[in-house]
């Protein structure tokens, strides 16, 4: 089955938001849990250090480690998100400036074929880890490459 389509801006934006959530969703949840853990470890460490118990300083070290980890993740996440949004705008502007360009997706018996203005490739079906349906989108997830997820509406 071959699908040849033009870029639908609203659908593309929504699929890219889902893609970002798909890639970072579990990690964001984990970092939020670490934030809660940081709060409790910080309270325990402050209580213990106020009583001049050495264990409080160890807990304070763990709290500092959690805090650095959280800050580093959010810094990286927002940096990647900013670049991702810039890439989305670049894609949309390219297709607006070149309305004759189309995106081709072909489901073959042994492989998946994809072609747009900047790339063309074929992946055998064994290279895909799984598929999911998320918000009316069929998502094909390739092994170990979060940037090679394909969305079909």
């Amino acid at each position: 089955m071959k699908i040849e389509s033009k870029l639908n801006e609203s659908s593309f934006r929504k699929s890219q938001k889902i893609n970002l959530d798909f890639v970072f969703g579990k990690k964001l949840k984990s970092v939020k849990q670490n934030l809660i853990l940081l709060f409790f470890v910080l309270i325990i460490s402050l209580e213990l250090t106020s009583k001049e118990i050495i264990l409080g300083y160890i807990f304070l070290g763990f709290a500092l480690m959690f805090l650095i980890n959280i800050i580093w993740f959010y810094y990286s996440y927002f940096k990647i998100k900013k670049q991702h949004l810039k890439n989305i705008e670049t894609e949309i502007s390219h297709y607006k400036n070149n309305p004759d360009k189309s995106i081709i997706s072909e489901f073959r018996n042994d492989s998946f074929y994809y072609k747009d203005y900047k790339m063309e490739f074929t992946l055998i079906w064994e290279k895909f880890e799984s598929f999911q349906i998320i918000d009316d989108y069929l998502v094909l997830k390739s092994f170990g490459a979060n940037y090679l997820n394909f969305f079909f509406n």
Side-chain angles (χ1 to χ4, degrees), residues 106 108-114 121-130 140-143 148 150:
E106 186 175 349
R108 299 175 179 165
N109 288 338
D110 60 341
S111 62
F112 172 73
Y113 172 77
Y114 180 85
F121 59 87
T122 302
L123 283 174
I124 58 173
W125 289 114
E126 287 80 23
K127 296 290 181 184
F128 288 99
E129 178 181 350
S130 64
L140 298 176
K141 183 180 185 313
S142 62
F143 270 108
L148 275 181
F150 298 94

Side-chain angles (χ1 to χ4, degrees), residues 15-132:
S15 71
Q16 292 305 307
K17 182 190 177 316
I18 292 170
N19 190 29
L20 196 64
D21 293 342
F22 191 73
V23 172
F24 283 101
K26 289 180 184 175
K27 184 66 177 170
L28 275 171
K29 186 176 180 180
S30 170
V31 168
K32 287 178 184 177
Q33 290 170 345
N34 282 349
L35 195 57
I36 294 168
L37 187 59
L38 167 68
F39 177 73
F40 287 117
V41 170
L42 193 58
I43 288 174
I44 292 170
S45 69
L46 292 175
E47 179 66 29
L48 292 175
T49 54
S50 71
K51 295 179 182 177
E52 297 183 12
I53 298 174
I54 300 263
L55 187 60
Y57 295 105
I58 294 172
F59 276 101
L60 197 58
F62 279 120
L64 184 61
M65 181 184 69
F66 281 126
L67 183 63
I68 290 170
N69 186 16
I70 290 167
I71 290 170
W72 179 253
F73 172 77
Y74 276 113
Y75 170 75
S76 301
Y77 172 71
F78 286 117
K79 186 177 175 182
I80 289 170
K81 185 176 180 179
K82 183 179 177 182
Q83 182 62 43
H84 186 71
L85 293 173
K86 184 180 173 186
N87 291 344
I88 290 170
E89 295 306 319
T90 303
E91 291 277 324
I92 290 171
S93 68
H94 175 80
Y95 281 104
K96 281 184 178 178
N97 294 335
N98 300 295
D100 59 319
K101 298 285 184 178
S102 62
I103 301 168
I104 300 171
S105 302
E106 186 175 349
F107 297 90
R108 299 175 179 165
N109 288 338
D110 60 341
S111 62
F112 172 73
Y113 172 77
Y114 180 85
K115 180 182 178 187
D116 64 10
Y117 77 95
K118 63 182 178 182
M119 66 180 148
E120 176 179 2
F121 59 87
T122 302
L123 283 174
I124 58 173
W125 289 114
E126 287 80 23
K127 296 290 181 184
F128 288 99
E129 178 181 350
S130 64
F131 72 92
Q132 285 181 295

